[in-house]
Amino acid sequence: MERRDFLKKAGVGTAAVVGAGAALSSTLVGCGKGDQAEVENLKKEVEEYKGKLATLTKKKFKWKMVTTWPPKLDVLQEGCERLAKRIGELSDGQLEIQVFAAGELVPAMESFQAVSDGTVEVGSGASYYWAGKEPATQWFAAVPFGLNAQGMSAWFHGADGLKLWEEVYAPFNLIPRPGGSTGVQMGGWFNKKINTIDDFKGLKMRIPGLGGKVIAKAGGTVVLLPGGEIFTSLERGVLDATEWVGPLHGLRFGFFKAAKYYYYPGWHEPGTYLEYFFNKKAYESLPKELQQIVDAACVENEHWVLAQFDARNGAALQTLINEHKVPVVPFPDSVLEALMPMAEAVVEEEAAKSPMATKVHESFKKFSKEVGTWGSISEKAYYNGIMKKYSLKG
Ligand code: CA
């Protein structure tokens, strides 16, 4: 409703509405019981109008968000839509965000630039997609044999991870916010068996980020494809293998129909973090209270994303094993042991590519050592004991 229409409908001017509350309060004394109820109702109405008036006179913001995810994709695109909805609710409609999936407004891999240019105000992806802009971006998504979801969260919120991320994105006019983690990913869907490290030679695999560079070092051919194009490529043999998060999406995309083996663990992405990025000027144009709502909604969504992945991956794994009889197989230890030094070399090479990458890598390495040492006597010690209870064989 337009402000003018509202006032006309209310039949009063602004001053009259505000003044009415005081007038009613003063007539409350000394009136009968029936009148009193009427007065209470009118008072309530006046309060409602005051609230509506306040909302109508507040500046409204209408933003657009572009993502790198296929339309409706569970947790990923779904999470972006949830974030927009929560910001709308928390701001009482003051900040409305319309969400577009990959390709609906801009192609997936152009969303960073679109937000950077201010064509749209918000984006979502995984920061390793932007390695071409600045190699340092990769550490905020996933480092092979690096931190898990808990460790990444600790680096962002308990150490200097987020501060560094903001520093890396600042030259692009962007403000990043952690968008939640996928948890440990799966190793991927393969049509060829991996028995030794040499089996990666000539393997055509869709695998992004630093992990892809490790596969290239092992002799594989890395193909970069957005989510929507993977299935057909795998089915037609354009790809020998692909990775994409975990069982939930493997089931959704139907990769089990196009690949023979489902390998684990996702050594290349042990706790991949997603991201929201805001155009700096747009973010700074918001009143302080709206900025706080945006930040709080991001943290809430960050928690939601990991919870959804853990819960739904668990259920989807059961379906893949029991209904679709998918062979879920581990990479041999010897393969993981051979990949580890390659990954280390890749990370060092990337770190040397820019001063910012060197700085971020130093922070990540120092933090991983501390939190990893602590983890070895906390998380690891606990898992080594309790995990004997659980196995694929039930
Ligand atoms: Ca992945």
Side-chain angles (χ1 to χ4, degrees):
M1 201 194 301
E2 286 299 315
R3 182 183 166 181
R4 206 176 302 154
D5 292 342
F6 159 70
L7 291 175
K8 214 160 87 189
K9 203 164 175 204
V12 282
T14 314
V17 173
V18 178
L24 283 169
S25 306
S26 62
T27 51
L28 190 62
V29 188
C31 58
K33 232 182 182 180
D35 292 340
Q36 213 163 348
E38 177 68 12
V39 165
E40 284 307 318
N41 280 340
L42 283 170
K43 269 176 82 178
K44 218 184 273 172
E45 246 177 82
V46 167
E47 285 310 312
E48 269 169 34
Y49 281 130
K50 273 203 230 168
K52 279 184 189 168
L53 192 62
T55 310
L56 285 165
T57 47
K58 263 185 190 168
K59 189 174 176 211
K60 283 203 173 182
F61 297 84
K62 279 185 195 294
W63 279 7
K64 288 188 178 76
M65 178 180 201
V66 290
T67 82
T68 53
W69 317 121
K72 296 192 172 65
L73 187 62
D74 316 57
V75 192
L76 297 173
Q77 184 66 12
E78 184 190 2
C80 293
E81 274 151 21
R82 184 187 184 277
L83 177 73
K85 188 166 168 270
R86 285 298 285 147
I87 290 174
E89 284 167 358
L90 291 167
S91 70
D92 201 14
Q94 207 187 339
L95 174 52
E96 278 176 29
I97 302 175
Q98 197 183 356
V99 186
F100 298 88
E104 286 179 353
L105 204 59
V106 298
M109 295 305 143
E110 281 170 34
S111 47
F112 185 92
Q113 196 58 49
V115 182
S116 174
D117 292 343
T119 317
V120 291
E121 293 81 3
V122 202
S124 175
S127 64
Y128 53 37
Y129 290 153
W130 324 121
K133 309 263 184 204
E134 161 56 70
T137 60
Q138 299 170 100
W139 277 260
F140 308 112
V143 174
F145 300 103
L147 294 168
N148 64 5
Q150 199 171 328
M152 291 292 282
S153 167
W155 185 46
F156 292 138
H157 299 293
D160 58 351
L162 181 52
K163 219 175 126 261
L164 285 165
W165 198 351
E166 286 173 341
E167 197 179 329
V168 170
Y169 275 26
F172 302 98
N173 308 311
L174 294 173
I175 294 177
R177 289 291 175 259
S181 175
T182 62
V184 182
Q185 299 201 355
M186 285 292 284
W189 297 89
F190 285 70
N191 271 323
K192 290 186 176 161
K193 268 228 144 172
I194 302 295
N195 295 318
T196 75
I197 190 73
D198 289 338
D199 292 325
F200 283 110
K201 282 187 181 138
L203 187 90
K204 289 168 288 176
M205 182 168 184
R206 183 268 172 202
I207 173 169
L210 294 164
K213 294 183 175 95
V214 181
I215 291 299
K217 215 178 230 336
T221 305
V222 175
V223 186
L224 283 184
L225 285 175
E229 294 168 34
I230 302 172
F231 182 86
T232 12
S233 304
L234 195 59
E235 206 179 28
R236 289 182 191 158
V238 177
L239 291 175
D240 299 316
T242 185
E243 64 81 64
W244 186 285
V245 195
L248 172 69
H249 290 131
L251 190 61
R252 175 66 72 232
F253 284 127
F255 291 147
F256 60 93
K257 293 179 209 154
K260 289 185 193 144
Y261 315 104
Y262 198 14
Y263 272 96
Y264 70 92
W267 56 272
H268 62 301
E269 299 197 41
T272 308
Y273 246 78
L274 313 166
E275 60 170 0
Y276 308 119
F277 44 93
F278 298 85
N279 176 273
K280 198 164 181 283
K281 216 172 132 195
Y283 179 94
E284 283 168 357
S285 75
L286 295 176
K288 254 262 130 19
E289 68 202 57
L290 279 189
Q291 288 180 5
Q292 286 175 353
I293 283 174
V294 166
D295 286 353
C298 286
V299 175
E300 186 195 282
N301 233 47
E302 183 183 350
H303 176 71
W304 181 87
V305 163
L306 177 60
Q308 296 303 315
F309 269 121
D310 275 339
R312 297 197 222 172
N313 274 333
L317 178 65
Q318 292 300 315
T319 309
L320 287 173
I321 294 172
N322 299 325
E323 280 178 36
H324 302 296
K325 313 291 174 204
V326 170
V328 180
V329 284
F331 287 119
D333 286 347
S334 62
V335 169
L336 293 174
E337 277 157 22
L339 286 168
M340 230 179 279
M342 289 182 190
E344 218 163 283
V346 162
V347 172
E348 292 295 336
E349 280 162 30
E350 291 298 305
K353 281 187 179 170
S354 79
M356 205 58 229
T358 307
K359 189 174 171 182
V360 173
H361 172 55
E362 283 309 315
S363 160
F364 190 92
K365 205 160 78 172
K366 183 173 170 280
F367 186 76
S368 302
K369 194 166 186 294
E370 275 172 18
V371 88
T373 306
W374 160 231
S376 74
I377 60 156
S378 57
E379 301 287 323
K380 187 183 160 199
Y382 176 70
Y383 291 145
N384 281 350
I386 195 177
M387 283 305 161
K388 286 175 194 147
K389 258 172 67 175
Y390 304 105
S391 79
L392 284 177
K393 291 174 190 83

